[in-house]
Amino acid sequence: MSLRPYEVIAAQRLLPVLRSGGADETVRTTRTLLAAGCRAVELTTSIPGWPGAVARAAALRDALGRPALIGVGTVTTAADAEAALDAGAGFLVSPYPAPEVRETAARRGAAFVEGGYTPGEIAAAVRRSGAAKVFPAHVGGPEFLRSLRAVLPGALLIPTGGIAPGEVRTWLAAGATAVGIGGGLPTDPAELAALFASLAAYPAGPGARRASAHAASRAVPPEGASVLSGGPAGPGAELSVPVEGPAGPGGEG
């Protein structure tokens, strides 16, 4: 089954971002998330030995009979973008405008969610791909996102940074297509599964229709095949922080 990154993230409404611990811990956490029904997880380049962690996590994406996407965040250089895609990343995310990553993603046909904070940075990212990561989201809060939504009605906006799990619905109500979460997610498998199920049932948010229509977001190929080797991602591409430990202000990238 092929998966389109933007569509999966928009439907899931919450993007777990793993950014601490070693490779073993990251892979264990990824397995737990996937078992709970999560279909998109973001690992970041702040994880020690992250390329190996990404490769091992990517090997789990079909292990439970439900195809999943393993993305890589805090990608700011062409070298890291190449390494992430070579390791099996299904999408890339940056915390701020990253021209080198943008170019690499376009050349490799990879979905890329480019970060920004100012209205100009966010609007530019949306013009390029249809999506933007709003970071650090806690600085402006939900009202800032609401103001952005007023002038970017069809964009996929993914606020990330300093957002607690209990605040996700507030951000969705303010116009987030999905929310990036690092710390504070439930550790109990049943509670985690209930959280993903409840958010999947939440009304579709702004940008969901564009995500569904975004045919240029490439599917994850069978394991061993080249990753996202199709054409450049067009309007509407994708999302960063550990699910363990509280999320501090600006803690995602």
Side-chain angles (χ1 to χ4, degrees):
M1 177 182 178
S2 63
L3 296 180
R4 295 173 179 170
Y6 283 11
E7 189 172 312
V8 172
I9 293 168
Q12 185 166 288
R13 312 308 302 275
L14 183 155
L15 181 67
V17 184
L18 313 183
R19 64 174 306 108
S20 67
D24 290 344
E25 177 186 341
T26 297
V27 174
R28 284 195 300 270
T29 302
T30 300
R31 185 186 294 275
T32 298
L33 288 165
L34 297 182
C38 181
R39 300 183 74 197
V41 182
E42 182 183 335
L43 281 56
T44 67
T45 60
S46 61
I47 297 169
W50 67 268
V54 172
R56 291 171 57 190
L60 299 173
R61 60 191 175 206
D62 296 318
L64 300 172
R66 293 188 302 272
L69 292 162
I70 305 300
V72 178
T74 320
V75 179
T76 59
T77 68
D80 280 352
E82 295 281 8
L85 294 174
D86 289 344
F91 60 92
L92 304 175
V93 184
S94 72
Y96 48 74
E100 290 184 24
V101 180
R102 191 187 313 145
E103 293 168 7
T104 300
R107 178 170 52 78
R108 297 281 297 264
F112 174 43
V113 182
E114 192 164 15
Y117 179 72
T118 69
E121 290 174 341
I122 294 166
V126 168
R127 280 197 299 271
R128 286 188 285 264
S129 71
K133 170 179 175 173
V134 180
F135 178 84
H138 77 281
V139 177
E143 288 307 311
F144 177 60
L145 184 71
R146 206 180 300 273
S147 295
L148 290 173
R149 175 59 66 199
V151 295
L152 298 169
L156 281 79
L157 299 181
I158 306 166
T160 308
I163 301 174
E167 301 170 331
V168 169
R169 286 175 176 79
T170 298
W171 284 89
L172 294 177
T177 304
V179 180
I181 290 289
L185 290 176
T187 55
D188 178 76
E191 290 182 23
L192 196 58
L195 175 62
F196 281 111
S198 67
L199 289 176
Y202 199 88
R209 182 175 300 177
R210 174 176 288 187
S212 297
H214 181 48
S217 289
R218 298 304 182 187
V220 173
E223 194 162 338
S226 62
V227 177
L228 298 172
S229 57
E238 297 49 42
L239 309 199
S240 312
V241 187
V243 285
E244 300 179 18
E252 286 98 352

